[in-house]
Amino acid sequence: MSAPYTAAPFVGKTFGVTVARLHKRFGTTPVLKDISLEVKPGEIFCIMGPSGSGKSVLLKHIAGLEIPTSGEVRIGEFDAADPATRDQIRLALVFQAGALFNSLSVYDNLALYPREHRLCGEAGIRDRVMHALAILSLEKAAHKFPSDLSGGMKKRVAIARALVMEPQLLLYDEPTSELDPVMSATLTEIIATLREQTAVTSLVVTHDRDLAFAIADRVAFVMEGRIRGVGRPDEFKKPADPVIANFLNPVIDLKNPRFKQLENNHE
Amino acid sequence: MNHLTAIFSHIGGTVLLFARAVTHIRTLPRQFPRFIEQCYLIGYTSLPIVTILSFFIGSVLALQSGYSMENFGAKQFIGTLVGLTMARELGPVMVAILLVGRVGSAVTAELASMKVYQEVDALVTMNIPPERMLVLPRLAAVLVMMPVLAIIANLCGWYGGALICQYTHSISVDSEAYFTALKTYMKPRDITDGLIKAEVFGFVIMLVCCYIGLNTRGGPREIGASVTKAVVTSLILILVLDYFVTKALLYS
C-alpha cells in the first residue's frame, strides 16, 4: 500500500452496532424486513447488495436519520433513533455524494463541527482541520469550494470532515460509487488505513465487491430488504446461495432471452 | 379528511419548528455573523424594490383619491388618506408580499436544496441542529428588518403621494397642506399598528418558508415544487392574517 497519508488520531472508545428485528415501511411499501445483525467494536463491516435493496436505508437507521417502523437499532447501549444519543456518541456519516456545504469552502466545511461545538479556539480548529486535510492529502484544496472539486476529491473531503469529528463510529455510504478504478482503490486504502490507525468501527455500504472483499472483516448481503447472508469475505469466495453468487459474479449473456425481448420492443 | 389531517400536521410541524428554534436562542450572540448576513439579504437587498414600489403605490393612491375626493370637496384630506392607508395597510402588506417573492422563495429554495442534497442530514449527524443554524438567525433577522422596511415603505409612499398632489394640475394640493392633513389626523398608534402587522407577516412568512424548505422530500424537481408551495401558502396566510390582525388591533 502506498502511504501518502499522515497518521489519524486514535479515537479511544469505539462502539458496536446491534440491529434487532428491524422493519421499515415507506407508506405501504416495505423496505426493510426483519433485519437483525451485530457489528463488533473495531471491525470493518460491509453491507452489500444490489441497488434498491434497502442498504442505504439501513445505514440511515444506524445514523439515526430514519425511525424504524418496528424493531430497534442500538449503538453500544444507546438507541440510535433517540436524538440524545448524538450527545453521547460521535458518529460520522460519509454520504454517497459527499453532502458538503456548497456555500462553505473546504476549510470551513471541516471547521464547522469544532466551531459549532466550541471544541477549541480558532488556532486549535486550524490545527485540527489542517491535520485532517493532511491525512487525505488535501492541503491544497483547503480554500476551494465544493463546486470546484472532482467527485473523488469531494469524497475525500467528506472523509476528512468526518475525521475532524474524531468519530467513535464511522459510516460510509457507497464510498466508491461513480469513481474510476484508481480512485476507488485509493479510497479503499484510505478506509482500511483509517481503521488501522484509529481502531474505529467502520460500516461500509457498497456494491463494490473489490472494496468489500479487500477490507471487510465481515460482510452482510441485503437483498429485497432482507439479510441474505453474513460472514467473513472468504466464506463468500464460492457462495452456496445462488442469489449471492449471481450478485457477486453476474454473467453477461447477450443471447439472454430477456435482452432479446428488449431488442424486439425497440423494433 | 386526509387533507384536514395534513393541514393540522403542517401547522403542528411549523409550531414545533419554531419551538425548536427558540430553545437555541442563547446561541444567537455567537451566530452574529449569520444574523448580519440574513439582515443584509432581507433588508439591504430588498431596499431598492421596496423604495420604488412604495413610492409608486403612494403616488397612485394620491391620484385615485384626488380624482374621487374632488367630488366631495375633500381634496385637503388626501394626505390623511394616503398616510393612513400606507401606514396601516399597504406599507406592511406590500413589504410582506415583496418579502415572499424576494426572500421567502430564496430561503425555501436554499433549504430545500440543502435537504435534497443531504446537507441537512449531514448537519444532523454532526449533532448541529438545523433549527439552530438555519432557522434561528433568519427569524431574528426578519423580526429586526421588517419594521425598518415598513417604515421606509411608509415614508416613500407618503412622499410619492405628496409629489403627485403638488405637481398634478387637477389635484393641486401643495405639500404643506398635504403633510398638515397627514399629521393632524394620524396618531402614533396608526404607525405602530402597521409595524406590528409587518412583524407578524414577516415572522409567519419566514417560519413557513423554512418549514416547507426543510420538509422537502425527493429529488431536485421537488425544490421547485416547494418554492411554489411556500410562495402560495405565504401569500394566502398574509391576506387571511391581515383580516384577523387588523380586527384585533382596531377593535380589541
Side-chain angles (χ1 to χ4, degrees):
Chain A
M1 183 191 297
S2 58
Y5 323 113
T6 56
F10 178 68
V11 295
K13 188 174 181 185
T14 188
F15 291 89
V17 176
T18 310
V19 180
R21 309 207 62 131
L22 176 66
H23 289 260
K24 179 68 180 179
R25 280 175 180 275
F26 287 122
T28 54
T29 315
V31 179
L32 297 178
K33 302 162 195 166
D34 199 23
I35 300 261
S36 294
L37 54 86
E38 188 156 2
V39 181
K40 294 169 196 151
E43 81 175 333
I44 296 186
F45 191 94
C46 285
I47 300 169
M48 296 189 73
S51 302
S53 59
K55 50 192 194 306
S56 290
V57 178
L58 174 58
L59 196 74
K60 280 186 171 182
H61 279 85
I62 297 168
L65 295 172
E66 291 285 353
I67 308 292
T69 305
S70 69
E72 65 170 1
V73 179
R74 299 196 83 81
I75 302 170
E77 67 269 34
F78 303 103
D79 180 1
D82 182 358
T85 297
R86 287 189 278 271
D87 296 331
Q88 308 293 329
I89 296 169
R90 292 190 305 276
L91 178 151
L93 171 55
V94 177
F95 288 85
Q96 188 172 353
L100 302 176
F101 303 110
N102 281 317
S103 55
L104 302 179
S105 68
V106 167
Y107 180 91
D108 288 331
N109 260 281
L110 270 67
L112 188 67
Y113 179 83
R115 269 187 196 143
E116 285 295 317
H117 291 278
R118 302 159 102 180
L119 299 179
C120 43
E122 273 303 315
I125 290 171
R126 187 178 164 74
D127 288 347
R128 211 166 158 146
V129 169
M130 293 316 289
H131 183 57
L133 288 173
I135 290 168
L136 289 138
S137 311
L138 282 167
E139 300 96 318
K140 286 181 185 165
H143 296 291
K144 288 186 175 173
F145 279 80
S147 53
D148 302 327
L149 304 177
S150 66
M153 280 180 94
K154 275 184 189 165
K155 294 213 175 180
R156 279 158 62 204
V157 173
I159 295 174
R161 188 174 68 178
L163 283 184
V164 170
M165 295 171 68
E166 296 182 359
Q168 294 165 313
L169 176 62
L170 191 43
L171 313 176
Y172 299 88
D173 189 6
E174 303 279 10
T176 57
S177 66
E178 299 165 31
L179 296 182
D180 64 70
V182 176
M183 186 49 73
S184 291
T186 308
L187 275 173
T188 307
E189 287 175 8
I190 289 170
I191 295 167
T193 311
L194 288 177
R195 197 282 301 264
E196 209 171 279
Q197 292 173 351
T198 62
V200 66
T201 310
S202 306
L203 249 105
V204 186
V205 158
T206 184
H207 43 57
D208 182 342
R209 187 185 58 178
D210 294 340
L211 177 148
F213 280 35
I215 61 170
D217 296 312
R218 284 191 305 145
V219 186
F221 290 89
V222 177
M223 289 175 179
E224 293 178 354
R226 289 183 194 280
I227 297 278
R228 189 90 194 186
V230 183
R232 293 189 313 278
D234 56 13
E235 292 172 33
F236 292 100
K237 287 266 161 70
K238 286 182 180 167
D241 185 333
V243 179
I244 295 177
N246 186 47
F247 171 71
L248 291 173
N249 302 297
V251 178
I252 299 170
D253 178 8
L254 298 182
K255 289 179 181 155
N256 189 316
R258 279 177 299 164
F259 177 75
K260 282 285 171 204
Q261 196 181 343
L262 283 173
E263 214 172 37
N264 291 337
N265 286 347
H266 272 290
E267 286 167 3
Chain B
M1 190 62 192
N2 276 344
H3 285 298
L4 206 62
T5 316
I7 288 170
F8 281 116
S9 149
H10 289 316
I11 293 171
T14 312
V15 173
L16 203 63
L17 180 70
F18 171 61
R20 284 185 181 145
V22 166
T23 58
H24 300 291
I25 199 139
R26 279 188 300 175
T27 66
L28 202 52
R30 66 187 167 94
Q31 298 206 64
F32 193 66
R34 273 184 210 130
F35 166 75
I36 293 295
E37 186 191 351
Q38 291 304 320
C39 284
Y40 172 81
L41 290 172
I42 294 166
Y44 185 76
T45 61
S46 305
L47 211 53
I49 194 161
V50 166
T51 312
I52 294 166
L53 287 191
S54 49
F55 181 87
F56 279 100
I57 284 180
S59 308
V60 171
L61 206 57
L63 277 179
Q64 294 273 23
S65 50
Y67 172 76
S68 318
M69 290 168 91
E70 197 173 16
N71 299 332
F72 309 105
K75 277 200 303 187
Q76 67 273 30
F77 297 117
I78 293 177
T80 313
L81 191 143
V82 173
L84 278 173
T85 313
M86 283 306 296
R88 295 201 69 99
E89 187 60 35
L90 287 182
V93 170
M94 187 205 64
V95 169
I97 289 170
L98 285 178
L99 186 81
V100 173
R102 270 205 92 262
V103 181
S105 56
V107 165
T108 309
E110 187 183 345
L111 298 190
S113 151
M114 286 183 78
K115 179 76 180 169
V116 165
Y117 294 109
Q118 295 187 303
E119 292 177 37
V120 174
D121 286 346
L123 283 177
V124 173
T125 56
M126 291 161 86
N127 201 16
I128 301 169
E131 299 85 8
R132 181 176 88 194
M133 193 175 138
L134 303 175
V135 181
L136 188 63
R138 288 184 165 92
L139 278 180
V142 85
L143 288 177
V144 170
M145 294 318 295
M146 275 304 272
V148 176
L149 288 175
I151 289 171
I152 291 168
N154 288 346
L155 290 173
C156 292
W158 292 345
Y159 279 98
L163 211 68
I164 292 303
C165 287
Q166 173 118 29
Y167 293 106
T168 304
H169 181 67
S170 55
I171 300 176
S172 291
V173 173
D174 66 42
S175 307
E176 207 181 324
Y178 174 93
F179 279 112
T180 305
L182 190 148
K183 278 188 265 183
T184 309
Y185 293 100
M186 270 188 77
K187 298 185 284 290
R189 205 189 142 181
D190 295 320
I191 296 177
T192 53
D193 280 2
L195 299 187
I196 290 169
K197 272 176 150 184
E199 283 286 46
V200 172
F201 296 156
F203 172 77
V204 170
I205 292 164
M206 193 52 82
L207 200 57
V208 165
C209 290
C210 286
Y211 172 77
I212 292 175
L214 287 174
N215 282 281
T216 305
R217 280 186 180 267
R221 192 177 166 186
E222 297 307 315
I223 299 171
S226 284
V227 173
T228 309
K229 196 168 151 189
V231 169
V232 171
T233 311
S234 301
L235 289 177
I236 293 171
L237 282 175
I238 290 170
L239 297 179
V240 173
L241 275 174
D242 190 23
Y243 171 80
F244 289 105
V245 177
T246 306
K247 195 172 178 190
L249 289 171
L250 283 177
Y251 300 103
S252 61

